[in-house]
Structure formats: C-alpha cells, structure tokens
Amino acid sequence: MSKDAFFALGLLAGLMIAAWGLGRKAFKSKHYDEMQLKIRATGYRIGFFTALALMAVLMLLFELDCLGIVSPAFALLAVLMVSITVFAVYCIRHEAFLSVDGQGKRYIALFALVVLCNGLASALRLIRGEALENGRLTLSFGSPLLMTVAFLVILAALLIKTVKAGKEAAE
Amino acid sequence: MKNLKMKAARAAKDLSQEQLAAMCDVSRQTISAIEKGDYNPSVNLCVAICKALGKTLNDLFWEE
C-alpha cells in the first residue's frame, strides 16, 4: 500500500471520527430559520452541480492525458474542496453559514488555525521534497495544500462578511 | 415589493430589526429581506410577525 493510500485512509478515519464526535450535537444546536434553510438548499444545489461539472471536465482531461502531474485521487479531492468552497462562500454571502452574526470571530479563529496548520504541513512536505513522487503531486502534499487554499477562500469570505455586518449594524 | 407597512408597524412599536427577529425566532437578515421585498415569508412567519407587532395579516401583508 502506498503512502498516499495510508494518507487517504487516515483522512477518511479522521472524517468519520469528526462526524461521530461533532455531528449529532453540533448539527442539532444549529438553528437556521426558513430563509436561511432555503439559501442553504440553493447552496447545496450549486455545490452539487459545480462538482458534477468539474468531474466531467476532469474525465475529459484524463482521457486526453492532460493531467499527468496529478493523480486521480488528488483531482477528486480538488473537485470536492472546490464544491465545498462554492457552497460555503454562497451561504456566507447570503448570511446562512455558521451564524456569521453571532459567533463570527470564533469561526474566523478556527479557520485561521486550519489554514495555518495545513499551510505548514504542505510547506514542510515541499521542503522535504515529498511534494512529487514519480513526477506526480502526492496526496500527502496536495491534500493539506487544497485544504489551505479552500479554507483561505472561506476565511476571506467570512472576514469580508463580518466587516460588512459590523458596518450595517453601526448604521 | 417592499413591505413598508411592516417597517412602519415595527417603527411604531420602536423595535429594531434585531428585536423583532428575536421575537419571531428568525435572523435579523430575514426581517430585513422581508421589509426590502427580497423574501416571501411563510404563513407561519407572517403570523408570528403580526403577533409581535399587534397587527393582522391584512394590515401588513395584503397588497392593495
């Protein structure tokens, strides 16, 4: 089993543990009103179709042999992160994500930490020369890199929204 | 279409959007969107807003 396969297994296990640990209580405590639920439903739809479109593009690029530098696993992870980012940014923009008004600062701090940790992880792997294996980007380098980029975009959206919300409240 | 009647009723009761939102168990953004005409609330929410402002559905949500 390759290093990337172990990494992917670890990622899956981590997600399952996080879902089990945070899932029930965290999701139950969130209260979105009817307008926010409608916005989130639209966001899920946009994220879903973004993923579908990107998958179709990827299929074409792999068939044309244009993506030699990335593995299929990396490409799929990229599609996942892009669609999650699209959903998150849409919901943040329409004020239906993570209670922006209520606890925006806490989530900004959390996301900044995620960006920092993943950024450091990918930088370390790059310095150690673990970014490429057999001429392809490794999942162990690509995964934290994709997380860094995705959470950076979401963090930027959160910051912009928090500043705008503060200005509106002041008015 | 803007809901000026709702805005006027809220102002008459000296309530902020946030206060009205808290009374109706929705977010401030939802109240703002309803007043701007950007969102059509459900009947349940309309009833909750009317109760909070002491008005009837016709007073706030009937289009002349």
Short mmCIF file of all heavy atoms in Angstrom, two decimals, chain A residues 119-162:
data_model
loop_
_atom_site.label_atom_id
_atom_site.label_comp_id
_atom_site.label_asym_id
_atom_site.label_seq_id
_atom_site.Cartn_x
_atom_site.Cartn_y
_atom_site.Cartn_z
N GLY A 119 -1.22 24.84 5.92
CA GLY A 119 -0.19 25.55 5.18
C GLY A 119 1.20 25.09 5.61
O GLY A 119 2.08 24.82 4.77
N LEU A 120 1.38 24.96 6.91
CA LEU A 120 2.66 24.50 7.46
C LEU A 120 2.96 23.07 7.01
O LEU A 120 4.09 22.75 6.64
CB LEU A 120 2.64 24.54 9.00
CG LEU A 120 2.96 25.90 9.62
CD1 LEU A 120 2.69 25.88 11.11
CD2 LEU A 120 4.40 26.29 9.35
N ALA A 121 1.93 22.22 7.06
CA ALA A 121 2.10 20.81 6.67
C ALA A 121 2.54 20.71 5.21
O ALA A 121 3.47 19.97 4.89
CB ALA A 121 0.79 20.05 6.87
N SER A 122 1.88 21.46 4.33
CA SER A 122 2.24 21.38 2.91
C SER A 122 3.61 22.01 2.67
O SER A 122 4.40 21.50 1.87
CB SER A 122 1.18 21.99 2.01
OG SER A 122 0.88 23.29 2.39
N ALA A 123 3.93 23.08 3.39
CA ALA A 123 5.24 23.73 3.24
C ALA A 123 6.36 22.77 3.68
O ALA A 123 7.39 22.65 3.01
CB ALA A 123 5.29 25.02 4.05
N LEU A 124 6.12 22.08 4.80
CA LEU A 124 7.12 21.12 5.30
C LEU A 124 7.36 20.00 4.29
O LEU A 124 8.51 19.59 4.06
CB LEU A 124 6.65 20.51 6.62
CG LEU A 124 6.96 21.34 7.86
CD1 LEU A 124 6.24 20.78 9.09
CD2 LEU A 124 8.46 21.40 8.13
N ARG A 125 6.28 19.51 3.72
CA ARG A 125 6.43 18.42 2.73
C ARG A 125 7.16 18.91 1.49
O ARG A 125 7.94 18.17 0.90
CB ARG A 125 5.06 17.86 2.36
CG ARG A 125 4.51 16.96 3.45
CD ARG A 125 3.30 16.18 3.03
NE ARG A 125 3.01 15.14 4.00
CZ ARG A 125 2.37 15.35 5.14
NH1 ARG A 125 1.92 16.53 5.45
NH2 ARG A 125 2.17 14.34 5.97
N LEU A 126 6.93 20.15 1.12
CA LEU A 126 7.62 20.72 -0.05
C LEU A 126 9.11 20.84 0.25
O LEU A 126 9.95 20.47 -0.58
CB LEU A 126 7.02 22.10 -0.36
CG LEU A 126 7.51 22.80 -1.62
CD1 LEU A 126 7.08 22.02 -2.85
CD2 LEU A 126 6.96 24.22 -1.70
N ILE A 127 9.43 21.33 1.46
CA ILE A 127 10.84 21.50 1.84
C ILE A 127 11.56 20.14 1.90
O ILE A 127 12.71 20.01 1.48
CB ILE A 127 10.94 22.22 3.21
CG1 ILE A 127 10.48 23.67 3.06
CG2 ILE A 127 12.35 22.16 3.78
CD1 ILE A 127 10.18 24.39 4.36
N ARG A 128 10.84 19.12 2.38
CA ARG A 128 11.45 17.78 2.50
C ARG A 128 11.51 17.04 1.17
O ARG A 128 12.00 15.92 1.10
CB ARG A 128 10.64 16.93 3.46
CG ARG A 128 10.85 17.27 4.92
CD ARG A 128 10.05 16.30 5.77
NE ARG A 128 9.84 16.83 7.09
CZ ARG A 128 8.89 16.40 7.93
NH1 ARG A 128 8.06 15.46 7.56
NH2 ARG A 128 8.78 16.91 9.11
N GLY A 129 10.99 17.67 0.11
CA GLY A 129 11.00 17.04 -1.21
C GLY A 129 9.97 15.93 -1.36
O GLY A 129 10.16 15.01 -2.15
N GLU A 130 8.88 16.01 -0.58
CA GLU A 130 7.85 14.96 -0.63
C GLU A 130 6.65 15.38 -1.48
O GLU A 130 5.62 14.72 -1.46
CB GLU A 130 7.38 14.62 0.79
CG GLU A 130 8.44 13.92 1.62
CD GLU A 130 8.02 13.81 3.10
OE1 GLU A 130 6.85 14.08 3.42
OE2 GLU A 130 8.88 13.48 3.92
N ALA A 131 6.82 16.51 -2.20
CA ALA A 131 5.68 17.01 -2.97
C ALA A 131 5.41 16.16 -4.22
O ALA A 131 4.27 15.98 -4.63
CB ALA A 131 5.91 18.45 -3.37
N LEU A 132 6.50 15.65 -4.80
CA LEU A 132 6.34 14.88 -6.03
C LEU A 132 6.81 13.44 -5.84
O LEU A 132 7.77 13.17 -5.12
CB LEU A 132 7.16 15.51 -7.17
CG LEU A 132 6.65 16.82 -7.74
CD1 LEU A 132 7.64 17.41 -8.74
CD2 LEU A 132 5.30 16.63 -8.44
N GLU A 133 6.12 12.51 -6.48
CA GLU A 133 6.53 11.10 -6.46
C GLU A 133 6.24 10.54 -7.84
O GLU A 133 5.09 10.55 -8.31
CB GLU A 133 5.71 10.35 -5.40
CG GLU A 133 6.32 9.00 -5.02
CD GLU A 133 5.54 8.33 -3.89
OE1 GLU A 133 5.67 8.77 -2.74
OE2 GLU A 133 4.79 7.39 -4.19
N ASN A 134 7.29 10.07 -8.49
CA ASN A 134 7.17 9.58 -9.87
C ASN A 134 6.59 10.65 -10.79
O ASN A 134 5.76 10.37 -11.67
CB ASN A 134 6.29 8.32 -9.94
CG ASN A 134 6.85 7.19 -9.10
OD1 ASN A 134 8.06 7.01 -8.99
ND2 ASN A 134 5.96 6.44 -8.47
N GLY A 135 6.99 11.90 -10.56
CA GLY A 135 6.57 13.01 -11.41
C GLY A 135 5.15 13.48 -11.15
O GLY A 135 4.62 14.30 -11.90
N ARG A 136 4.51 12.95 -10.11
CA ARG A 136 3.13 13.37 -9.80
C ARG A 136 3.05 13.99 -8.41
O ARG A 136 3.78 13.59 -7.50
CB ARG A 136 2.22 12.15 -9.80
CG ARG A 136 1.79 11.71 -11.17
CD ARG A 136 0.85 10.55 -11.05
NE ARG A 136 0.09 10.39 -12.26
CZ ARG A 136 -0.87 9.49 -12.41
NH1 ARG A 136 -1.20 8.70 -11.43
NH2 ARG A 136 -1.52 9.39 -13.55
N LEU A 137 2.12 14.94 -8.26
CA LEU A 137 1.88 15.54 -6.94
C LEU A 137 1.34 14.46 -6.00
O LEU A 137 0.39 13.77 -6.35
CB LEU A 137 0.85 16.67 -7.04
CG LEU A 137 1.35 18.00 -7.60
CD1 LEU A 137 0.17 18.93 -7.86
CD2 LEU A 137 2.31 18.67 -6.63
N THR A 138 1.93 14.35 -4.82
CA THR A 138 1.46 13.34 -3.87
C THR A 138 0.21 13.84 -3.14
O THR A 138 0.00 15.04 -2.98
CB THR A 138 2.53 13.01 -2.82
OG1 THR A 138 2.86 14.23 -2.13
CG2 THR A 138 3.79 12.45 -3.47
N LEU A 139 -0.59 12.91 -2.68
CA LEU A 139 -1.81 13.26 -1.93
C LEU A 139 -1.45 13.85 -0.58
O LEU A 139 -2.12 14.75 -0.08
CB LEU A 139 -2.66 12.00 -1.74
CG LEU A 139 -4.13 12.22 -1.37
CD1 LEU A 139 -4.84 13.06 -2.40
CD2 LEU A 139 -4.83 10.89 -1.19
N SER A 140 -0.36 13.37 -0.02
CA SER A 140 0.05 13.86 1.31
C SER A 140 0.52 15.32 1.24
O SER A 140 0.47 16.02 2.23
CB SER A 140 1.17 12.98 1.89
OG SER A 140 2.22 12.88 0.97
N PHE A 141 0.94 15.77 0.07
CA PHE A 141 1.29 17.19 -0.10
C PHE A 141 0.06 17.95 -0.60
O PHE A 141 -0.25 19.04 -0.12
CB PHE A 141 2.45 17.34 -1.10
CG PHE A 141 2.64 18.75 -1.60
CD1 PHE A 141 3.14 19.73 -0.77
CD2 PHE A 141 2.29 19.10 -2.90
CE1 PHE A 141 3.29 21.04 -1.21
CE2 PHE A 141 2.46 20.40 -3.36
CZ PHE A 141 2.96 21.37 -2.51
N GLY A 142 -0.62 17.35 -1.55
CA GLY A 142 -1.75 18.03 -2.19
C GLY A 142 -2.94 18.25 -1.28
O GLY A 142 -3.61 19.29 -1.37
N SER A 143 -3.18 17.28 -0.38
CA SER A 143 -4.34 17.39 0.49
C SER A 143 -4.27 18.61 1.41
O SER A 143 -5.20 19.43 1.43
CB SER A 143 -4.51 16.10 1.28
OG SER A 143 -5.59 16.22 2.17
N PRO A 144 -3.17 18.78 2.20
CA PRO A 144 -3.11 19.99 3.03
C PRO A 144 -3.07 21.27 2.20
O PRO A 144 -3.58 22.31 2.63
CB PRO A 144 -1.82 19.81 3.85
CG PRO A 144 -1.08 18.72 3.22
CD PRO A 144 -2.02 17.89 2.47
N LEU A 145 -2.48 21.17 1.00
CA LEU A 145 -2.44 22.36 0.13
C LEU A 145 -3.85 22.77 -0.29
O LEU A 145 -4.22 23.95 -0.22
CB LEU A 145 -1.59 22.05 -1.12
CG LEU A 145 -1.43 23.18 -2.14
CD1 LEU A 145 -0.62 24.32 -1.55
CD2 LEU A 145 -0.78 22.68 -3.41
N LEU A 146 -4.64 21.78 -0.71
CA LEU A 146 -6.03 22.06 -1.11
C LEU A 146 -6.84 22.59 0.07
O LEU A 146 -7.64 23.52 -0.09
CB LEU A 146 -6.69 20.79 -1.66
CG LEU A 146 -6.25 20.35 -3.05
CD1 LEU A 146 -6.79 18.97 -3.35
CD2 LEU A 146 -6.70 21.33 -4.11
N MET A 147 -6.62 22.01 1.25
CA MET A 147 -7.33 22.48 2.45
C MET A 147 -6.96 23.92 2.76
O MET A 147 -7.81 24.74 3.11
CB MET A 147 -6.96 21.60 3.66
CG MET A 147 -7.44 20.17 3.57
SD MET A 147 -9.14 20.02 4.11
CE MET A 147 -8.92 20.01 5.87
N THR A 148 -5.66 24.24 2.61
CA THR A 148 -5.18 25.61 2.88
C THR A 148 -5.88 26.59 1.95
O THR A 148 -6.42 27.61 2.40
CB THR A 148 -3.66 25.70 2.66
OG1 THR A 148 -3.02 24.72 3.47
CG2 THR A 148 -3.14 27.07 3.05
N VAL A 149 -5.88 26.28 0.68
CA VAL A 149 -6.48 27.18 -0.32
C VAL A 149 -7.98 27.33 -0.07
O VAL A 149 -8.52 28.44 -0.04
CB VAL A 149 -6.21 26.68 -1.75
CG1 VAL A 149 -6.99 27.50 -2.76
CG2 VAL A 149 -4.71 26.74 -2.06
N ALA A 150 -8.67 26.20 0.14
CA ALA A 150 -10.12 26.22 0.33
C ALA A 150 -10.50 27.02 1.57
O ALA A 150 -11.37 27.91 1.52
CB ALA A 150 -10.66 24.79 0.44
N PHE A 151 -9.85 26.73 2.69
CA PHE A 151 -10.19 27.43 3.93
C PHE A 151 -9.76 28.89 3.89
O PHE A 151 -10.36 29.74 4.56
CB PHE A 151 -9.58 26.71 5.14
CG PHE A 151 -10.43 25.58 5.63
CD1 PHE A 151 -10.28 24.30 5.13
CD2 PHE A 151 -11.42 25.80 6.57
CE1 PHE A 151 -11.09 23.26 5.56
CE2 PHE A 151 -12.23 24.76 7.00
CZ PHE A 151 -12.07 23.49 6.50
N LEU A 152 -8.73 29.20 3.11
CA LEU A 152 -8.31 30.59 2.94
C LEU A 152 -9.41 31.39 2.24
O LEU A 152 -9.73 32.52 2.64
CB LEU A 152 -7.01 30.62 2.12
CG LEU A 152 -6.13 31.88 2.26
CD1 LEU A 152 -5.77 32.15 3.71
CD2 LEU A 152 -4.85 31.68 1.45
N VAL A 153 -9.97 30.80 1.21
CA VAL A 153 -11.05 31.46 0.47
C VAL A 153 -12.27 31.63 1.38
O VAL A 153 -12.88 32.71 1.42
CB VAL A 153 -11.43 30.64 -0.80
CG1 VAL A 153 -12.68 31.20 -1.45
CG2 VAL A 153 -10.27 30.63 -1.78
N ILE A 154 -12.61 30.57 2.13
CA ILE A 154 -13.77 30.66 3.04
C ILE A 154 -13.50 31.68 4.14
O ILE A 154 -14.38 32.47 4.51
CB ILE A 154 -14.07 29.27 3.66
CG1 ILE A 154 -14.52 28.30 2.57
CG2 ILE A 154 -15.13 29.36 4.73
CD1 ILE A 154 -14.62 26.85 3.02
N LEU A 155 -12.28 31.70 4.65
CA LEU A 155 -11.90 32.66 5.68
C LEU A 155 -12.03 34.09 5.17
O LEU A 155 -12.56 34.96 5.86
CB LEU A 155 -10.45 32.38 6.12
CG LEU A 155 -9.87 33.27 7.22
CD1 LEU A 155 -10.65 33.10 8.51
CD2 LEU A 155 -8.41 32.93 7.45
N ALA A 156 -11.56 34.32 3.93
CA ALA A 156 -11.66 35.65 3.33
C ALA A 156 -13.13 36.07 3.22
O ALA A 156 -13.49 37.21 3.55
CB ALA A 156 -11.00 35.66 1.95
N ALA A 157 -13.97 35.14 2.78
CA ALA A 157 -15.41 35.43 2.65
C ALA A 157 -16.01 35.76 4.02
O ALA A 157 -16.81 36.69 4.15
CB ALA A 157 -16.14 34.25 2.03
N LEU A 158 -15.62 34.99 5.04
CA LEU A 158 -16.12 35.23 6.41
C LEU A 158 -15.69 36.61 6.92
O LEU A 158 -16.48 37.34 7.53
CB LEU A 158 -15.57 34.17 7.37
CG LEU A 158 -16.42 32.95 7.63
CD1 LEU A 158 -15.68 31.95 8.50
CD2 LEU A 158 -17.74 33.32 8.29
N LEU A 159 -14.42 36.95 6.67
CA LEU A 159 -13.89 38.24 7.14
C LEU A 159 -14.63 39.40 6.47
O LEU A 159 -15.05 40.34 7.13
CB LEU A 159 -12.39 38.34 6.83
CG LEU A 159 -11.47 37.61 7.80
CD1 LEU A 159 -10.06 37.52 7.23
CD2 LEU A 159 -11.45 38.29 9.15
N ILE A 160 -14.80 39.28 5.15
CA ILE A 160 -15.50 40.34 4.41
C ILE A 160 -16.92 40.50 4.94
O ILE A 160 -17.41 41.60 5.17
CB ILE A 160 -15.51 40.04 2.89
CG1 ILE A 160 -14.10 40.14 2.33
CG2 ILE A 160 -16.45 40.98 2.14
CD1 ILE A 160 -13.93 39.56 0.94
N LYS A 161 -17.58 39.36 5.17
CA LYS A 161 -18.97 39.40 5.64
C LYS A 161 -19.06 39.97 7.05
O LYS A 161 -19.98 40.73 7.34
CB LYS A 161 -19.57 37.99 5.61
CG LYS A 161 -21.07 37.96 5.64
CD LYS A 161 -21.65 38.59 4.40
CE LYS A 161 -23.06 39.04 4.61
NZ LYS A 161 -23.59 39.75 3.47
N THR A 162 -18.13 39.59 7.90
CA THR A 162 -18.13 40.09 9.28
C THR A 162 -17.93 41.60 9.31
O THR A 162 -18.62 42.31 10.05
CB THR A 162 -17.04 39.40 10.11
OG1 THR A 162 -17.19 37.99 9.99
CG2 THR A 162 -17.12 39.78 11.57
#
